[in-house]
Amino acid sequence: MIRMNPDSARLSDPDLPAVEVLLGPDAVGPLGTLLEAAGFEIGRFRPRQVTWWPRRSITVRYDVSSADGDRLPQVVACSGSIPPGATILEADGTQIGLWVLPADPDLPGLSSILDPRTLRPMLESIGVPVARISARLRAYRPRRRAVVQVDTEHTRVYVKLGRPEAIRRLHETHQLLAEVLPVPASLGFDPELGLLVMPAGRGLTLRETLDTSGELPAPQTMDDLLGPMPDPIGRGRARSPIEKLGTLQGLLSRIVPDQTGRLEEIVGRIGPETAEHAVPCHGDFHDGQLLVDDGAISGLLDVDTHGTGHPANDPATMLGHLESRRPHSPHPDRIGAYAAQLGALWATRVDPWELVRRRSAVMLGLATGPFRVQQDGWPDQVRARIGRAGDALAHENALIGFSGPSHTPRAW
């Protein structure tokens, strides 16, 4: 049985015909061919993750099961940009690249980490004793990165996987930041397999803490994280939320074309990136990147985005994530109050208008989320998020309490 999202199946891209194939029922052809070659018979499938850049590329990750309902290995299909090592098939004259998870051609270490026979000697080589072992895929973005949780009888570690050419820099970044921030130090890395091993942190993420009744870090504690950021290793500017708007506007206009005018208005009000002096920043500072233990910040994660950028980028990213998630939280008032405290503090550190407009840009980027994870009824969710990104620019904004351009920008 095919379980396609009817809203996604209506999408098209004249410059990338594979969009209609991979988001519609015709995807059964290449998926079935690949799985049959691996000894499986496909019964049903459903897209669970989509990355689409109009006119350029599309990558879709599918949940698949047999006719009897047994879960089969996940499959990834892509077109427009196909990595060497993928199985290439044709569908309606369009080339499709495919692989069965975990054999991602751009993440060569993923298969080894999920196989205890190869994982055990890797861990022992960096001093992690192993008798019983289990590995669980915790996060995966095809062709880009993955995180695997590894449990032994004595300890837990996390293995981060990325493209091999970037792993050495990530290892060095972890070692650098761990000296001054609660960033987990690297236990070891493999430049050929593109993997890095980190110890497990303690506590819950800030996101989980907000959604429960756990003690929250004081706003000043949050602010203190951003001051001692050292200069990045071998990397220029971290891409700002404003610099991403052109690409995001193109995607959003394709998936909800009735919002094209509203998007043009919001992007116009946000305005262009400025050439203000850049400072070291995390680059993706949000509530899923912080671990909190009894009100103290016990971990800062995902530092591969560490670079330089506008002083308001990290604060605006946090505020944009909090405001985007607030309507869906079990404790929206708790999130709103905490975000207001952070916003009031950060508006004394940076130009308040920069904080407002960059937060709105972050929220516009997050508007693609329901489409990317293929939520049922995603168009209405996307429209609502676009609306909230526009409302965040309003002069009577309640989250930060400041409005209008300021001519006295401040930095740390």
Side-chain angles (χ1 to χ4, degrees):
M1 180 185 296
I2 300 170
R3 295 181 60 202
M4 306 304 296
N5 190 308
D7 294 306
S8 301
R10 287 193 287 268
L11 298 172
S12 64
D13 187 336
D15 297 299
L16 197 62
V19 169
E20 294 181 59
V21 176
L22 298 184
L23 296 181
D26 289 344
V28 70
L31 296 184
T33 300
L34 180 72
L35 286 171
E36 287 170 11
F40 302 106
E41 184 177 352
I42 190 171
R44 65 174 62 186
F45 68 95
R46 177 184 177 90
R48 67 170 295 172
Q49 185 180 14
V50 178
T51 301
W52 174 29
W53 301 119
R55 306 183 66 179
R56 291 164 42 197
S57 66
I58 182 169
T59 302
V60 184
R61 175 186 174 192
Y62 300 87
D63 285 328
V64 189
S65 61
S66 69
D68 296 329
D70 296 329
R71 181 177 295 180
L72 300 181
Q74 292 182 350
V75 176
V76 178
C78 63
S79 188
S81 173
I82 300 176
T87 298
I88 298 179
L89 300 174
E90 282 206 3
D92 294 335
T94 298
Q95 281 198 337
I96 307 290
L98 303 104
W99 58 90
V100 177
L101 203 65
D104 188 317
D106 283 324
L107 301 177
L110 187 55
S111 296
S112 297
I113 290 301
L114 292 175
D115 185 344
R117 295 171 300 178
T118 50
L119 175 57
R120 181 173 284 106
M122 290 182 199
L123 294 179
E124 290 175 342
S125 71
I126 59 172
V128 177
V130 177
R132 295 187 303 273
I133 188 172
S134 66
R136 175 187 172 198
L137 184 63
R138 294 297 302 270
Y140 174 54
R141 183 173 178 182
R143 306 191 60 186
R144 296 290 299 275
R145 56 183 175 267
V147 176
V148 176
Q149 175 184 313
V150 177
D151 289 298
T152 73
E153 66 275 25
H154 299 300
T155 189
R156 170 178 291 174
V157 296
Y158 287 91
V159 181
K160 186 157 190 175
L161 299 108
R163 295 192 173 182
E165 63 271 17
I167 285 296
R168 183 179 296 276
R169 176 191 173 274
L170 180 59
H171 164 79
E172 294 172 350
T173 297
H174 270 268
Q175 305 306 75
L176 172 70
L177 295 180
E179 295 180 2
V180 293
L181 292 165
V183 171
S186 170
L187 299 177
F189 73 105
D190 188 319
E192 294 185 2
L193 293 178
L195 61 88
L196 177 146
V197 184
M198 300 173 291
R202 68 182 191 279
L204 302 175
T205 65
L206 176 60
R207 181 171 302 166
E208 293 167 326
T209 305
L210 283 161
D211 285 346
T212 60
S213 55
E215 184 180 354
L216 296 170
Q220 186 61 55
T221 302
M222 295 280 287
D223 187 49
D224 289 343
L225 277 180
L226 303 181
M229 286 273 182
D231 290 333
I233 296 172
R235 184 185 178 102
R237 291 180 66 96
R239 197 174 180 207
S240 84
I242 290 179
E243 291 171 327
K244 301 174 184 178
L245 285 180
T247 302
L248 289 167
Q249 183 181 358
L251 173 60
L252 288 166
S253 295
R254 289 291 187 105
I255 63 177
V256 281
D258 59 307
Q259 297 295 299
T260 299
R262 180 67 167 139
L263 288 164
E264 291 177 353
E265 174 194 356
I266 295 171
V267 172
R269 289 190 63 196
I270 291 173
E273 182 58 283
T274 58
E276 184 173 336
H277 171 68
V279 300
C281 61
H282 180 279
D284 193 24
F285 186 68
H286 61 73
D287 54 334
Q289 308 285 40
L290 295 176
L291 294 178
V292 178
D293 186 36
D294 289 332
I297 297 173
S298 56
L300 177 60
L301 310 175
D302 286 351
V303 296
D304 46 313
T305 52
H306 180 228
T308 60
H310 192 283
N313 281 347
D314 275 352
T317 298
M318 178 64 72
L319 296 175
H321 276 261
L322 293 178
E323 179 64 5
S324 291
R325 208 172 57 78
R326 183 171 60 86
H328 314 289
S329 168
H331 301 291
D333 292 342
R334 176 172 160 88
I335 290 182
Y338 191 60
Q341 294 174 24
L342 292 173
L345 172 61
W346 282 329
T348 68
R349 300 284 191 267
V350 298
D351 184 312
W353 174 241
E354 291 292 344
L355 204 55
V356 169
R357 74 188 191 104
R358 290 170 191 276
R359 182 195 57 175
S360 180
V362 171
M363 294 174 66
L364 206 57
L366 294 173
T368 63
F371 166 73
R372 286 188 289 105
V373 300
Q374 290 293 283
Q375 287 182 6
D376 290 336
W378 59 257
D380 287 341
Q381 294 290 333
V382 171
R383 293 185 185 101
R385 291 190 180 206
I386 291 172
R388 288 196 291 271
D391 292 344
L393 291 166
H395 287 290
E396 60 273 15
N397 185 276
L399 180 60
I400 294 178
F402 292 86
S403 62
S406 166
H407 299 287
T408 57
R410 287 155 290 189
W412 282 273

